[in-house]
Amino acid sequence: MKAKAAVVGLGFVGRAHVDALRRLGVTICGGLGSSPKTTASACAAVGLARAYASLEEIAADASVEVVHLCTPNFLHFQEAGQLLRAGKHVLCEKPLTLDSRESELLVALAKETQRVGGVAYNLRYYPLCQEARALIEKGAIGRPNLVHGSFLQDWLLYESDWNWRLDPKLGGSLRAVSDIGTHWLDLVTWITGRRVTDLCADLATVIPVRQRPRGRVETFQKADPSDVEQVSITTEDYASVLFHLEGDVRGVMTVSQVSAGRKARLWFEIDGSEGSLAWNSEEPNTLWIGRRNAPSQELPKDPGLMSEATRRYAAYPGGHPEGYPDTFVQLFRDFYVYVEAGDQQAARSFPTFASGHEQMALCEAIEKSAQERTWVSLGSE
Amino acid sequence: MKAKAAVVGLGFVGRAHVDALRRLGVTICGGLGSSPKTTASACAAVGLARAYASLEEIAADASVEVVHLCTPNFLHFQEAGQLLRAGKHVLCEKPLTLDSRESELLVALAKETQRVGGVAYNLRYYPLCQEARALIEKGAIGRPNLVHGSFLQDWLLYESDWNWRLDPKLGGSLRAVSDIGTHWLDLVTWITGRRVTDLCADLATVIPVRQRPRGRVETFQKADPSDVEQVSITTEDYASVLFHLEGDVRGVMTVSQVSAGRKARLWFEIDGSEGSLAWNSEEPNTLWIGRRNAPSQELPKDPGLMSEATRRYAAYPGGHPEGYPDTFVQLFRDFYVYVEAGDQQAARSFPTFASGHEQMALCEAIEKSAQERTWVSLGSE
Amino acid sequence: MKAKAAVVGLGFVGRAHVDALRRLGVTICGGLGSSPKTTASACAAVGLARAYASLEEIAADASVEVVHLCTPNFLHFQEAGQLLRAGKHVLCEKPLTLDSRESELLVALAKETQRVGGVAYNLRYYPLCQEARALIEKGAIGRPNLVHGSFLQDWLLYESDWNWRLDPKLGGSLRAVSDIGTHWLDLVTWITGRRVTDLCADLATVIPVRQRPRGRVETFQKADPSDVEQVSITTEDYASVLFHLEGDVRGVMTVSQVSAGRKARLWFEIDGSEGSLAWNSEEPNTLWIGRRNAPSQELPKDPGLMSEATRRYAAYPGGHPEGYPDTFVQLFRDFYVYVEAGDQQAARSFPTFASGHEQMALCEAIEKSAQERTWVSLGSE
Amino acid sequence: MKAKAAVVGLGFVGRAHVDALRRLGVTICGGLGSSPKTTASACAAVGLARAYASLEEIAADASVEVVHLCTPNFLHFQEAGQLLRAGKHVLCEKPLTLDSRESELLVALAKETQRVGGVAYNLRYYPLCQEARALIEKGAIGRPNLVHGSFLQDWLLYESDWNWRLDPKLGGSLRAVSDIGTHWLDLVTWITGRRVTDLCADLATVIPVRQRPRGRVETFQKADPSDVEQVSITTEDYASVLFHLEGDVRGVMTVSQVSAGRKARLWFEIDGSEGSLAWNSEEPNTLWIGRRNAPSQELPKDPGLMSEATRRYAAYPGGHPEGYPDTFVQLFRDFYVYVEAGDQQAARSFPTFASGHEQMALCEAIEKSAQERTWVSLGSE
């Protein structure tokens, strides 16, 4: 890859971006952390040559073509806007913004500036998720009728668990839905090629008061228990959402960050008129294909057994498991190939700002539905 | 066991009752099929000595103390009433009746006649379902917060699949919910010891027209495809239900009879403040216990590892799988021991007519919620 | 079934025989325990009408046609001989005898007396083991090339674990091989239809000294720890056996009674030129069919998906798990149907005394191989 | 990492090395393919700046400190020797050489030249394999008693499958044992910390004649079927090996390259006096811990649940699967950290030339045992 990158935000997922960019041979000009002081040490720890002093400095660095935004949600809108205007392509972590007004503006701005916007819905890039989409497209399970599943975690099970996402000012007014629910919804709507038309949601804050450490806590890390304050929590630990997709496909999704033993388990099942697909992100190298009048099948992540269009997303032969870090490589390759081709009219295989905006609209509908205890229709777009 | 039995309805599940009664050493006085002609051959096939000519004949047979009703749903109310009045104890297949008015009357009649009524929610009697209840009672997963899962089948996937349950006159105005959804709801409300307080349901008839064979079709069997008529279907192939349990436990259930590759897979997960439980009826001999700060556990159906109160429900040592037929043995033992003890004031460990009535009320709330696209509260009882 | 039975030995497995006989509608005339005193209580516990005083009494009871021997191994030879001479058909628990001289004599005696002898290698009667045999017969995996697997238990893991099988006078000079290894070998040689021609074995007594309780201990039960004596153990806790089957099929088996967490897990894999089969007794309702150029398959225990010849061994529809107790029902049905047909020339679908003798010859070859640390050829028969 | 690298051999595994080196930030000076022509295109495909013309050129390039050998087995000895003498550290793919005479010479040469030699037994670097070793060291399963398992593949199932490893001149006189068996043996002897003392092996060439394409075939790729010649095969498709480890631990290993549906499945179980461990490379993110008197456990690849000494080998939080490519990163980090520290007396945590030599000695013992049909003792070293 020839386009050069910078990475903003060097926490857990920022480092995943750096790792994937290196594997693609993308030159990373430098990084920016949450403060000048942390930037220097974070860049050193990750091995980045240059520690930028500010976003402005990145915006002004002519060698940088793509900027990866791995910062807390509340910063995405401002940062992405600034960078687009400075002529950078932007690959932003999810959720794209705090609300759909912001995400709509970003979609428009990217169009106006002729820059490419992507959102890191990386789970699409598990090879067998690509294959699931291809199988449905070719009719392998007939007409999709039902979609159901969940995304469960346990890292916020205890009231002593803390992360910036718990603060609505930093993460937004939704949490589990926005952080993992949009992953699930993006994935299954993309696999089935159908948008949500109606939904009805139930949200719950299972742990109403938590202990906030006064110091900073890394995602998935533990805080110092001795220096905490009690904080009322307004965002949801749990959500279940009934929904309809275009073409009267029915579905339901459950997300939780308080399910003990589920570390980060996204599972979906899609039931069609001729067969079913089921997949689970904690064992991502097998896709279950359910059959009625024949034995069900286990499709391994084996390029030799995958569709011609998707086997390129499997970097290794069957029996050689690929995982979470590999999804970023595949996503970024699609993105950079597109950027380098330079044709903004070409179809985009990666999740775009429009994908990110679609999720923001869903989040708002979910929030409204839960508040009003009623079904909500998504506007036609 | 000393109480003697008769079995009404000798189809798939009637034969399961006969099998279990024999294992308990219960004397079966005879059976009654759907017509005099089929009764004779069905009794012969199953090895029952006496083929009754009518329900009246059973009601009049003084040697019979317990009657098992394994007939289509629409007959339960009339048959159970007649038998209770004749002084018989009644163990009825689920759902207990076609609506909650009927089930309420049966609850009252059983009380009035001082006869014992049971409903065959046999899934409670998988040894590890008993254990799940015991674990929650003893606080092994803390406070239950979330309940989610599904009951999926594929035997009605094709429009050429037919069964009497598809006819609302025989099976009632709900189908998937009533046939398998009530199994799921009965199971998780019994395990958690909490009743549903509110719910919001989405139902779908995925296959709106089916081919009805003019001849009779046994449950789980295939019809002769050459002699069929097109029939509009009004009952649901699919349902998802958001619900709240007492104590603000949140939950969601999905049922489907059109999920290819899922033969009869009931799965639940219960997430508590200190751990989780997950279980699946197609692999019933393992209970998963999820943990946050320790490895999760696989509890085998091993009397040596089960609670003192539940190990008696495991008839064989660990590593010796038990299955569907064994659940009826355990249920019937509880029922017959109770009947023989003769103390109607004693607590009942088996699913009662009140349990059956509770499910009928839930069915009606689900139907109302789906029709009106709104949340419905269950009345306090 | 019309033939009447008696059951000798009313421990763990004797009760499994009684249970299965009842399900078949076989009249059980009575039972015999290990002593007159225990007989009475054991018969009462199991609900058998008559407690025999001695084997002679059974031999003399003209109403008894079939006797089930569920006694410790060392008694089988004498008891089976006495009963055959008294004109009884004999269904004996495995292993058939203590050595191949005895088993050869029993084969000859059954032939001479024109009585039917069976051995309770019940694992053959898991429906999907029947199906595995049928699939190989019809060439579904091509030519079998490799057979491998294990039978692992943990009930003798601790030196405080005791059972009569640990005493070579009661159980024979082999233990793990004889008790569970012969199950495995019987199963895979029956499924592949090929006999062992050569083998090389390694045995180990992992726990060389155990604590024997002075009182009696039931199989799979725990002893009173306060009243024990130290005993040197000469029989093996572990064995692995390299072997060749007819037609140069290669194989290896591992058995152990000291593998923590494995309650009674028999697992085999058979690799053929076009596909593979794998099955595991702790999850018996799925058969894995491995493929190279297609996704592998999960065949459920579903009569609708099984071969025409084997679906009768599945008593319930797909999704309704069957287990260990059900295997005895299927085995006994085959046996009793044969007995009642009365044609001793007809082919026998169940494991016979010849099957039992074949296993005794294998046991002796295994013992010899391990002692001499060399390959041993099985004589042609 | 500061040490600079070159990679020799740019096939399947060579590209895996390049990928991992990039993730570590190691500068790769250039690569060398199997011929000048293929080198240029392979380097371009992988994105390496410099295409070396010969090994001599690499040996002479002073900027290169570490050379990765990813060439066919028969070249390792000569290449490694030349590079060590030129002052390079060498990280060689397995097996280290064609025989133990060669591997012994390399061990000596590395010592003499004071260069660091490593062998790419990368499976040790699955985080949960590191954890398995740590658990055994800390006594979590008591004394190891039994070790069993297999490494199964299906890529050579058909006689039309070809790869250079089938030619003994290129791959050596053993194939399945050398290619995958040594992975298994290296892994379990390293995890248990015990060497093999005795063994008895059975080998089989299941497919005695294969079709060799006249063109080149990449590992795991398919050949052009129209341009082939019939070739007699002398190397084994299958092996099973009984063995003893130091301290009288008993074991057995099965390897096969003709097991349909098993893509590359290494599985081991280690049974100790207090617990068991089981792991399988196709689902590498869970370690099963078997218990007798408690439920068995599923340990996820979760740094928060792993031992303090091993959690650094898990790069991502629990629920974020890692896979085959990640193992090379972890192995190379250990190797490069050692090289850069510059202390040749320090203990080596990675697989060394001595590890590679140990496997060659095992291969020879296995070959001898199979030929002579007898147990073989490994000399004390």
Side-chain angles (χ1 to χ4, degrees):
Chain A
M1 299 295 163
K2 287 177 187 139
K4 293 178 180 170
V7 177
V8 181
L10 292 167
F12 160 69
V13 86
R15 292 193 298 271
H17 282 235
V18 168
D19 180 57
L21 289 170
R22 285 202 172 116
R23 298 172 76 177
L24 288 167
V26 170
T27 301
I28 309 175
C29 300
L32 175 62
S34 47
S35 74
K37 187 181 148 200
T38 61
T39 293
S41 61
C43 285
V46 182
L48 294 184
R50 176 171 178 187
Y52 289 102
S54 65
L55 200 72
E56 286 69 29
E57 206 175 283
I58 295 178
D61 183 345
S63 63
V64 171
E65 290 172 68
V66 179
V67 181
H68 292 247
L69 290 179
C70 303
T71 47
N73 309 346
F74 79 102
L75 295 170
H76 294 173
F77 175 64
Q78 187 274 326
E79 291 174 339
Q82 182 175 352
L83 292 162
L84 289 171
R85 284 190 205 95
K88 309 304 184 195
H89 305 290
V90 174
L91 212 166
C92 187
E93 265 302 321
K94 30 61 52 176
L96 179 55
T97 55
L98 290 190
D99 60 44
S100 71
R101 187 193 53 83
E102 289 181 355
S103 54
E104 193 171 18
L105 287 171
L106 285 186
V107 170
L109 185 61
K111 196 170 182 185
E112 182 191 321
T113 57
Q114 289 283 302
R115 297 294 86 189
V116 183
V119 181
Y121 283 117
N122 63 303
L123 301 186
R124 292 189 187 183
Y125 283 88
Y126 273 107
L128 290 173
C129 289
Q130 294 279 337
E131 182 67 13
R133 178 174 155 96
L135 287 171
I136 285 178
E137 272 180 355
K138 64 170 91 155
I141 63 163
R143 176 193 181 283
N145 288 319
L146 312 175
V147 177
H148 42 113
S150 57
F151 198 155
L152 306 179
Q153 301 180 326
D154 70 1
W155 67 297
L156 296 176
L157 177 63
Y158 296 125
E159 61 185 41
S160 53
D161 297 319
W162 186 262
N163 180 267
W164 59 260
R165 287 175 180 80
L166 288 156
D167 182 343
K169 286 204 278 304
L170 307 185
S173 57
L174 290 178
R175 179 186 9 115
V177 168
S178 145
D179 192 33
I180 57 178
T182 66
H183 258 310
W184 194 95
L185 287 164
D186 176 77
L187 186 60
V188 306
T189 55
W190 173 76
I191 287 176
T192 59
R194 291 163 193 251
R195 301 163 79 105
V196 174
T197 58
D198 299 84
L199 60 81
C200 184
D202 186 34
L203 308 186
T205 303
V206 170
I207 301 177
V209 175
R210 289 179 181 265
Q211 291 135 24
R212 178 163 59 190
R214 292 188 173 87
R216 185 168 181 273
V217 188
E218 188 76 25
T219 300
F220 289 109
Q221 301 302 312
K222 302 215 174 72
D224 169 10
S226 62
D227 182 26
V228 298
E229 58 188 331
Q230 302 292 317
V231 178
S232 284
I233 301 298
T234 59
T235 55
E236 79 289 356
D237 296 306
Y238 159 85
S240 280
V241 185
L242 306 174
F243 61 84
H244 297 181
L245 301 183
E246 293 165 329
D248 203 27
V249 176
R250 302 301 178 96
V252 61
M253 165 187 85
T254 296
V255 299
S256 156
Q257 297 180 315
V258 293
S259 295
R262 305 302 187 186
K263 300 307 168 189
R265 185 178 188 268
L266 181 151
W267 155 71
F268 67 77
E269 176 167 332
I270 301 171
D271 298 328
S273 59
E274 297 294 335
S276 302
L277 300 178
W279 181 85
N280 145 16
S281 67
E282 291 192 350
E283 291 177 3
N285 293 292
T286 306
L287 176 67
W288 183 82
I289 305 175
R291 297 293 178 200
R292 212 297 277 280
N293 290 342
S296 295
Q297 297 177 307
E298 293 173 354
L299 178 68
K301 178 213 60 79
D302 182 336
L305 298 178
M306 292 168 66
S307 301
E308 203 173 319
T310 65
R311 65 179 57 141
R312 67 194 170 93
Y313 294 105
Y316 286 86
H320 295 73
E322 297 178 52
Y324 177 81
D326 304 285
T327 59
F328 289 100
V329 178
Q330 302 296 340
L331 166 54
F332 294 174
R333 180 183 288 117
D334 266 12
F335 185 83
Y336 277 80
V337 163
Y338 188 90
V339 162
E340 295 185 10
D343 174 10
Q344 302 258 343
Q345 308 311 315
R348 301 176 183 202
S349 54
F350 53 87
T352 62
F353 275 11
S355 313
H357 173 56
E358 190 177 326
Q359 291 307 314
M360 294 321 300
L362 281 172
C363 284
E364 286 167 9
I366 286 169
E367 197 169 6
K368 180 172 196 267
S369 169
Q371 279 166 353
E372 303 183 0
R373 288 173 60 92
T374 184
W375 283 83
V376 170
S377 289
L378 276 290
S380 57
E381 297 185 65
Chain B
M1 299 295 161
K2 286 174 188 143
K4 293 178 180 171
V7 177
V8 182
L10 293 166
F12 159 70
V13 83
R15 293 193 298 271
H17 282 234
V18 168
D19 180 58
L21 289 170
R22 284 199 173 119
R23 298 172 77 176
L24 287 168
V26 170
T27 301
I28 309 174
C29 301
L32 174 63
S34 48
S35 75
K37 187 181 150 202
T38 61
T39 293
S41 62
C43 286
V46 182
L48 294 184
R50 176 171 178 186
Y52 288 102
S54 66
L55 200 72
E56 287 68 29
E57 208 175 283
I58 295 177
D61 184 345
S63 64
V64 171
E65 289 171 71
V66 179
V67 181
H68 292 247
L69 290 179
C70 303
T71 48
N73 309 348
F74 79 103
L75 296 169
H76 295 172
F77 175 65
Q78 186 274 324
E79 292 175 341
Q82 183 174 354
L83 291 162
L84 288 171
R85 284 188 206 95
K88 309 303 184 196
H89 304 292
V90 174
L91 210 166
C92 186
E93 264 302 321
K94 30 60 48 179
L96 178 55
T97 57
L98 291 189
D99 60 45
S100 70
R101 188 195 49 86
E102 289 182 356
S103 54
E104 192 171 19
L105 287 170
L106 285 186
V107 170
L109 185 60
K111 193 169 185 188
E112 181 191 322
T113 58
Q114 287 284 304
R115 298 293 88 189
V116 184
V119 181
Y121 284 117
N122 62 303
L123 301 186
R124 292 188 189 184
Y125 283 88
Y126 274 107
L128 290 174
C129 289
Q130 294 279 337
E131 181 67 13
R133 179 174 155 94
L135 287 172
I136 286 178
E137 273 180 352
K138 64 170 92 155
I141 63 163
R143 178 195 181 278
N145 288 318
L146 312 176
V147 177
H148 42 114
S150 56
F151 197 156
L152 307 178
Q153 301 181 325
D154 71 1
W155 68 297
L156 295 175
L157 178 63
Y158 296 126
E159 61 185 42
S160 53
D161 297 320
W162 188 262
N163 179 268
W164 60 259
R165 286 175 180 81
L166 287 155
D167 182 342
K169 288 203 278 306
L170 307 185
S173 56
L174 290 177
R175 178 183 13 111
V177 168
S178 142
D179 194 31
I180 56 178
T182 65
H183 259 310
W184 194 96
L185 288 164
D186 176 76
L187 187 59
V188 305
T189 54
W190 174 75
I191 286 176
T192 59
R194 292 163 193 251
R195 304 163 76 107
V196 175
T197 58
D198 298 85
L199 59 81
C200 183
D202 186 34
L203 307 186
T205 303
V206 171
I207 301 177
V209 176
R210 291 178 179 265
Q211 291 135 25
R212 176 162 60 191
R214 291 187 174 85
R216 185 170 180 274
V217 188
E218 186 78 27
T219 300
F220 290 107
Q221 301 301 312
K222 302 219 174 69
D224 168 10
S226 63
D227 183 25
V228 298
E229 59 187 330
Q230 301 293 318
V231 179
S232 285
I233 300 298
T234 59
T235 55
E236 79 290 355
D237 296 306
Y238 159 85
S240 282
V241 185
L242 307 174
F243 61 83
H244 298 181
L245 300 183
E246 293 164 330
D248 202 28
V249 176
R250 302 301 178 94
V252 60
M253 165 188 86
T254 297
V255 299
S256 156
Q257 297 180 315
V258 293
S259 296
R262 305 301 186 188
K263 301 308 169 190
R265 185 178 188 268
L266 182 151
W267 156 69
F268 67 76
E269 176 168 331
I270 301 172
D271 298 327
S273 58
E274 297 294 334
S276 302
L277 299 177
W279 181 86
N280 145 16
S281 67
E282 291 191 353
E283 290 176 5
N285 293 290
T286 306
L287 177 67
W288 182 83
I289 305 175
R291 296 292 178 201
R292 213 295 279 279
N293 289 342
S296 295
Q297 297 177 307
E298 296 174 351
L299 178 70
K301 178 211 60 76
D302 182 335
L305 297 178
M306 292 168 64
S307 301
E308 203 172 320
T310 65
R311 65 181 54 145
R312 66 194 172 95
Y313 293 105
Y316 287 85
H320 295 73
E322 298 178 52
Y324 178 82
D326 305 284
T327 59
F328 289 99
V329 177
Q330 302 297 341
L331 166 54
F332 295 173
R333 179 182 289 117
D334 266 11
F335 185 84
Y336 278 78
V337 163
Y338 188 90
V339 163
E340 295 186 9
D343 174 9
Q344 302 259 343
Q345 307 313 314
R348 301 179 181 200
S349 54
F350 53 87
T352 62
F353 275 11
S355 314
H357 172 57
E358 190 177 326
Q359 291 307 314
M360 294 320 301
L362 281 174
C363 284
E364 286 168 10
I366 286 169
E367 197 169 7
K368 180 171 195 271
S369 170
Q371 280 166 355
E372 304 183 359
R373 288 171 61 89
T374 184
W375 283 83
V376 169
S377 290
L378 276 289
S380 57
E381 294 183 72
Chain C
M1 300 296 163
K2 286 174 187 143
K4 293 178 180 169
V7 177
V8 182
L10 293 167
F12 160 68
V13 85
R15 292 193 298 269
H17 282 235
V18 168
D19 180 58
L21 289 169
R22 284 200 172 117
R23 298 172 76 176
L24 288 167
V26 170
T27 301
I28 309 175
C29 301
L32 174 63
S34 47
S35 74
K37 187 183 150 201
T38 62
T39 294
S41 61
C43 285
V46 182
L48 294 184
R50 176 172 178 186
Y52 289 102
S54 66
L55 200 73
E56 286 69 29
E57 207 174 281
I58 295 177
D61 183 344
S63 64
V64 171
E65 289 171 70
V66 179
V67 181
H68 292 247
L69 291 178
C70 303
T71 48
N73 308 348
F74 79 101
L75 295 169
H76 294 173
F77 175 65
Q78 187 274 326
E79 291 174 341
Q82 181 175 354
L83 291 162
L84 288 171
R85 284 191 205 94
K88 308 304 184 195
H89 304 292
V90 174
L91 211 166
C92 186
E93 264 302 322
K94 33 60 48 177
L96 179 54
T97 55
L98 290 189
D99 61 44
S100 71
R101 187 194 52 84
E102 288 181 356
S103 55
E104 191 170 21
L105 287 170
L106 285 186
V107 170
L109 184 61
K111 192 169 186 188
E112 183 192 318
T113 57
Q114 288 283 303
R115 298 293 87 188
V116 184
V119 181
Y121 283 117
N122 63 303
L123 301 186
R124 292 189 189 184
Y125 282 88
Y126 274 107
L128 290 174
C129 289
Q130 294 280 335
E131 182 66 14
R133 179 176 154 96
L135 287 172
I136 286 179
E137 272 180 355
K138 63 169 93 156
I141 62 162
R143 177 195 181 281
N145 288 320
L146 311 176
V147 177
H148 41 114
S150 56
F151 198 155
L152 306 179
Q153 300 181 326
D154 71 0
W155 66 297
L156 296 176
L157 177 64
Y158 295 126
E159 60 185 43
S160 54
D161 297 319
W162 186 263
N163 179 267
W164 59 260
R165 286 174 180 81
L166 287 156
D167 181 343
K169 287 203 280 303
L170 307 184
S173 56
L174 290 178
R175 177 183 14 112
V177 168
S178 145
D179 192 32
I180 56 178
T182 65
H183 257 310
W184 195 96
L185 287 165
D186 177 75
L187 186 60
V188 305
T189 54
W190 174 75
I191 287 175
T192 59
R194 292 164 193 249
R195 304 164 77 106
V196 174
T197 59
D198 298 83
L199 60 80
C200 182
D202 186 35
L203 307 186
T205 303
V206 170
I207 301 177
V209 175
R210 290 178 181 267
Q211 289 135 27
R212 177 162 61 190
R214 290 188 173 87
R216 186 170 180 274
V217 187
E218 188 77 27
T219 299
F220 290 107
Q221 301 303 311
K222 302 216 174 71
D224 169 8
S226 63
D227 182 24
V228 299
E229 58 188 329
Q230 302 292 317
V231 178
S232 285
I233 300 298
T234 59
T235 55
E236 78 288 355
D237 295 305
Y238 160 85
S240 281
V241 184
L242 306 174
F243 61 84
H244 298 180
L245 300 183
E246 292 165 331
D248 203 27
V249 175
R250 300 302 177 94
V252 60
M253 165 188 85
T254 297
V255 299
S256 156
Q257 297 180 316
V258 292
S259 295
R262 306 300 187 188
K263 300 307 170 191
R265 186 178 188 266
L266 181 150
W267 156 70
F268 67 76
E269 176 167 332
I270 301 172
D271 299 327
S273 58
E274 298 294 334
S276 303
L277 300 177
W279 181 85
N280 146 16
S281 66
E282 291 192 351
E283 292 177 3
N285 293 292
T286 307
L287 177 66
W288 183 82
I289 305 177
R291 296 293 179 200
R292 213 295 278 278
N293 290 342
S296 294
Q297 297 176 308
E298 293 174 354
L299 178 70
K301 178 212 62 76
D302 181 336
L305 297 178
M306 291 168 65
S307 301
E308 204 173 319
T310 65
R311 65 180 55 142
R312 67 194 171 94
Y313 294 105
Y316 286 85
H320 295 72
E322 299 178 51
Y324 178 81
D326 305 284
T327 58
F328 289 100
V329 178
Q330 302 296 341
L331 166 54
F332 295 173
R333 180 183 288 115
D334 266 12
F335 185 84
Y336 278 79
V337 164
Y338 188 91
V339 162
E340 295 184 10
D343 174 9
Q344 302 259 341
Q345 307 312 314
R348 301 175 182 203
S349 54
F350 54 86
T352 61
F353 276 12
S355 314
H357 173 55
E358 190 177 325
Q359 291 308 315
M360 295 320 300
L362 281 173
C363 284
E364 287 168 8
I366 286 169
E367 196 169 8
K368 180 171 196 271
S369 170
Q371 280 167 354
E372 304 183 359
R373 289 173 59 92
T374 185
W375 283 82
V376 168
S377 290
L378 276 290
S380 58
E381 296 184 66
Chain D
M1 300 294 163
K2 287 174 188 144
K4 294 179 179 170
V7 178
V8 182
L10 293 166
F12 159 69
V13 85
R15 292 192 298 271
H17 283 234
V18 168
D19 180 57
L21 289 171
R22 283 199 173 119
R23 298 172 76 176
L24 287 168
V26 170
T27 301
I28 309 175
C29 300
L32 174 63
S34 49
S35 74
K37 187 181 149 200
T38 62
T39 293
S41 61
C43 285
V46 182
L48 294 185
R50 175 170 178 187
Y52 289 101
S54 65
L55 201 72
E56 286 69 28
E57 208 175 282
I58 295 177
D61 184 344
S63 63
V64 171
E65 290 171 70
V66 179
V67 182
H68 291 246
L69 290 178
C70 303
T71 48
N73 310 347
F74 79 102
L75 294 170
H76 295 171
F77 175 64
Q78 187 274 324
E79 292 174 340
Q82 183 175 353
L83 291 162
L84 288 171
R85 283 190 206 95
K88 309 303 185 196
H89 304 292
V90 174
L91 211 166
C92 187
E93 265 301 323
K94 30 59 51 179
L96 179 55
T97 56
L98 290 189
D99 60 44
S100 70
R101 188 193 51 84
E102 290 181 354
S103 53
E104 192 171 19
L105 287 171
L106 285 185
V107 170
L109 185 61
K111 193 169 185 185
E112 182 192 321
T113 58
Q114 287 284 303
R115 299 293 86 188
V116 183
V119 181
Y121 283 117
N122 62 303
L123 302 185
R124 291 189 188 183
Y125 283 88
Y126 274 108
L128 290 173
C129 289
Q130 294 280 336
E131 181 67 14
R133 178 174 155 98
L135 287 172
I136 286 179
E137 272 180 354
K138 64 170 91 155
I141 63 163
R143 177 194 181 281
N145 287 318
L146 311 175
V147 177
H148 42 113
S150 56
F151 197 156
L152 306 179
Q153 301 181 326
D154 71 0
W155 66 297
L156 296 175
L157 178 64
Y158 295 125
E159 60 185 42
S160 54
D161 297 320
W162 186 263
N163 178 268
W164 60 260
R165 286 176 180 80
L166 287 155
D167 182 342
K169 285 203 281 302
L170 307 184
S173 55
L174 291 178
R175 178 185 11 113
V177 167
S178 144
D179 193 32
I180 54 178
T182 65
H183 258 311
W184 195 95
L185 287 165
D186 176 76
L187 187 59
V188 305
T189 53
W190 173 76
I191 287 175
T192 58
R194 292 163 193 251
R195 305 163 78 105
V196 175
T197 58
D198 299 84
L199 61 80
C200 182
D202 187 34
L203 307 185
T205 303
V206 170
I207 301 178
V209 175
R210 289 179 181 264
Q211 290 135 26
R212 175 163 61 190
R214 289 186 176 90
R216 186 167 178 274
V217 188
E218 187 77 25
T219 300
F220 289 109
Q221 301 302 311
K222 301 218 175 70
D224 168 10
S226 64
D227 183 26
V228 299
E229 59 187 331
Q230 303 292 317
V231 178
S232 286
I233 300 298
T234 59
T235 54
E236 79 287 356
D237 296 305
Y238 159 84
S240 281
V241 184
L242 307 174
F243 61 84
H244 299 180
L245 300 182
E246 292 166 330
D248 203 28
V249 175
R250 302 301 178 94
V252 61
M253 166 188 85
T254 297
V255 298
S256 156
Q257 297 179 315
V258 293
S259 294
R262 304 302 186 185
K263 301 308 169 190
R265 185 180 189 266
L266 182 152
W267 156 71
F268 68 77
E269 177 168 332
I270 301 171
D271 298 329
S273 57
E274 296 295 335
S276 301
L277 300 177
W279 182 86
N280 144 18
S281 67
E282 291 191 351
E283 292 177 3
N285 293 291
T286 308
L287 176 68
W288 183 83
I289 306 175
R291 297 292 176 201
R292 213 294 279 279
N293 289 343
S296 294
Q297 297 177 307
E298 293 175 353
L299 177 69
K301 177 211 64 74
D302 182 336
L305 297 178
M306 292 168 65
S307 301
E308 203 173 319
T310 65
R311 63 181 56 143
R312 67 193 171 97
Y313 294 105
Y316 287 86
H320 295 74
E322 298 177 52
Y324 177 81
D326 304 284
T327 58
F328 289 100
V329 178
Q330 302 297 342
L331 166 53
F332 295 174
R333 178 182 290 115
D334 266 12
F335 185 83
Y336 278 78
V337 163
Y338 188 90
V339 162
E340 295 184 10
D343 174 10
Q344 301 259 341
Q345 308 312 315
R348 302 177 181 203
S349 54
F350 53 87
T352 61
F353 276 11
S355 314
H357 173 55
E358 189 177 326
Q359 292 306 314
M360 294 321 300
L362 281 173
C363 284
E364 285 167 11
I366 287 169
E367 195 168 10
K368 179 171 195 267
S369 169
Q371 278 167 354
E372 302 184 0
R373 289 172 59 90
T374 184
W375 283 82
V376 169
S377 290
L378 275 290
S380 57
E381 296 184 69

